[in-house]
Amino acid sequence: MDGTQDAPRERITEQVRDEAESASSTPPPMSRKTVRRLSWALAWGLPVIALIVGIALTATGAVEQWEPMGDDTYEVTMLAIWPAGLVLLAVGALGVTAAAITSAVVTAER
């Protein structure tokens, strides 16, 4: 008799467990507002970071690489990093300009 009394309870707990597993396996959909905010943060954030890194690399110009040769002597190699800085500077400037134009077009009243 004990088996018949616990059978409905076991079915209910299995159903609840199955529903919990199916709910946890699929993430809740992101709201449209959240997606818009994330995309605007990326549209402005990445170009600004590229602009800052480009300014830093262009201002630095070159980096020294020291290689020990023995007896307290080193061979110094100069690596030019300013070309990469110019590229990042241009990418950042174009990205900020594109984000500004996009936000002007999207937020304009019709």
Side-chain angles (χ1 to χ4, degrees), residues 44-67:
W44 281 100
L46 290 177
V48 168
I49 291 171
L51 194 63
I52 292 169
V53 171
I55 290 170
L57 290 178
T58 304
T60 302
V63 177
E64 295 178 351
Q65 181 180 4
W66 290 35
E67 297 177 16

Side-chain angles (χ1 to χ4, degrees), residues 36 42 52 57 65 69 73 85 89 92 104 107:
R36 184 175 291 150
L42 288 174
I52 292 169
L57 290 178
Q65 181 180 4
M69 296 179 65
T73 58
L89 191 62
T107 59

Side-chain angles (χ1 to χ4, degrees), residues 5 30 79 86 98:
Q5 290 176 352
M30 293 177 63
L79 302 172
L86 285 179

Side-chain angles (χ1 to χ4, degrees), residues 47 50-51 88-98:
L51 194 63
L88 285 173
L89 191 62
V91 166
L94 287 174
V96 167
T97 304

